[in-house]
Amino acid sequence: MKKKKYDYNYKESVMTKKSLIKSIVGVALAAALTQPVAAQQETEVTLSRFFGSCEADYGSVADVTKARGECGIITALVNKFNTTNELGVVVKPQVAEWATYYDQLTARLAARDVPTIAIMHESVLGDFVARKLVEPLDEGFEQVGIDTANFTEQAARGTIIDGTTYAMPFDTWAWLWHFNLNLFEQAGLTQADGSPVLPKNPDELLIQARQFKDATGKPYFGWITAGESVAPTRTFLTLVNQQGGELFRDSGHRIDMQGKEADIALNLMKQLWNEGHIKQGLDYSGAQQAYLNGDVGINVNGTWVIDNFVAASQKAGSPLEDGYTVVPFATLYDQKAVFADGHSWVVLKGGAKNEKERAGALAFLKFLWDHNYEWSRTGHLPVSKSIIDSEEFHSLPFRTNILEISSTGRTMPSNVARQRAVETIIGEEISNMMLSDKPADDVKQSIEKRVNRLISK
């Protein structure tokens, strides 16, 4: 896997060498712009994505301001593009389940059933670039007016590899604590201004969790322990990074679980589980419902649920009514750090059958880039410097609480291959530790054996 590099000088050099081919997209796009809409033949762009399906609520909504949540906003954005673009381009979404998304995408590529555009986590992008499955996009971005110099630092690190841009960043997301302040107030764990009292170390966390349970009869945390493996990984990596621990050695070709940081993180997670401070048996939907029903104090989840939880806190009679706030995963050790990643859009090789489709794909990416503020209403951080610095973004609820993620976010090292599979293995073993009482030492050995066999090839 190539090492990611954010080097504009290198990028400019590459772009100069490729000047003979960079006009192709522009010619096709310019030709499309000069033709009357009625005279154009419809150009279909297929869009492979997760984020769920919500046609019943948003299938006909093209006013993006009326949409909420990831599914609602991306559906409305596609509807708006399809009804307003003057290029005769129609984007047709192909919605896939999140958990099996990359397996499905890989199978489609093998069968040559290639979508034009696909959503892709930045942590996965390197694998697809190494396999030469995605198109470089610098020339196309230049043609349609996407300025890579306006990418935030984290977005650039995630989408520019060895000086070449392979994806359009869509957001930066991270691991957060979503509070039910009504329950925290009942437990005496709020400050005078109504904000939650945050634990500053593991001992304070355990004291708080016991106090919360005594006062409310409910678990402190609701996080996913069934049906999904990556959630425990994100918590574990956050705790290791907050101690300054490094798990990956030999240029990302080996994981080392023998450091004290891994022990400390696993033992804390195990103790929280054994003392009943994590509600048991929750898959993703169950964890969401438990939080919305007021069955737990904190939902450990990503930025993408902020908008939905804000909406719940505005409903009369909701357990969250006037009682929601969110912060990055609390700092329990010496360093501020939280697991972070980002969603991006790639143009897959073989997806566009001709230059009109490729031009249509780039036009849609430009549309998404121009509407990055709308996507940030989900709770994700924008990827455009101008938007993240804007008063409009800062005025959104709780965004000032999470802005620090742009500097405290920690991804898995970019030279680690097959990161999605690595996350799954780590999460499966941690789940085994909690659900079946597998000893922590055995968990560490299993992680090392399985991950090293995977990434050493």
Side-chain angles (χ1 to χ4, degrees), residues 28-184:
L29 185 59
L33 285 167
T34 58
Q35 296 179 38
V37 175
Q40 297 176 40
Q41 187 174 1
E42 184 178 279
T43 299
E44 181 177 307
V45 170
T46 52
L47 182 76
S48 179
R49 69 162 178 84
F50 38 75
F51 304 127
S53 177
C54 49
E55 288 298 303
D57 294 324
Y58 295 105
S60 60
V61 174
D63 182 350
V64 186
T65 64
K66 298 185 182 306
R68 303 196 73 162
E70 285 183 309
C71 186
I73 292 175
I74 188 61
T75 300
L77 282 170
V78 171
N79 291 341
K80 182 173 182 178
F81 177 81
N82 285 343
T83 55
T84 59
N85 86 84
E86 298 180 348
L87 306 175
V89 177
V90 176
V91 173
K92 296 193 173 181
Q94 299 169 335
V95 180
E97 288 291 331
W98 181 87
T100 59
Y101 175 75
Y102 291 107
D103 291 337
Q104 292 182 29
L105 184 60
T106 299
R108 291 186 63 183
L109 293 172
R112 300 184 185 281
D113 175 26
V114 185
T116 318
I117 300 173
I119 191 72
M120 189 164 288
H121 288 88
E122 292 169 2
S123 57
V124 175
L125 178 63
D127 287 341
F128 281 77
V129 170
R131 294 159 60 194
K132 303 185 186 305
L133 296 174
V134 298
E135 297 276 1
L137 293 171
D138 289 294
E139 288 85 359
F141 282 178
E142 185 177 8
Q143 289 295 329
V144 298
I146 297 175
D147 183 4
T148 57
N150 200 22
F151 287 7
T152 62
E153 185 176 349
Q154 185 146 350
R157 280 199 300 267
T159 57
I160 299 175
I161 300 176
D162 289 340
T164 298
T165 309
Y166 286 99
M168 193 198 78
F170 201 35
D171 59 51
T172 294
W173 58 260
W175 216 219
L176 310 176
W177 282 14
H178 302 269
F179 284 85
N180 182 326
L181 288 175
N182 298 325
L183 290 176
F184 263 66

Side-chain angles (χ1 to χ4, degrees), residues 423-440:
E423 289 180 20
T424 298
I425 290 172
I426 295 173
E428 286 176 351
E429 293 298 333
I430 293 175
S431 294
N432 285 338
M433 178 185 71
M434 293 190 289
L435 298 174
S436 63
D437 208 25
K438 187 173 183 177

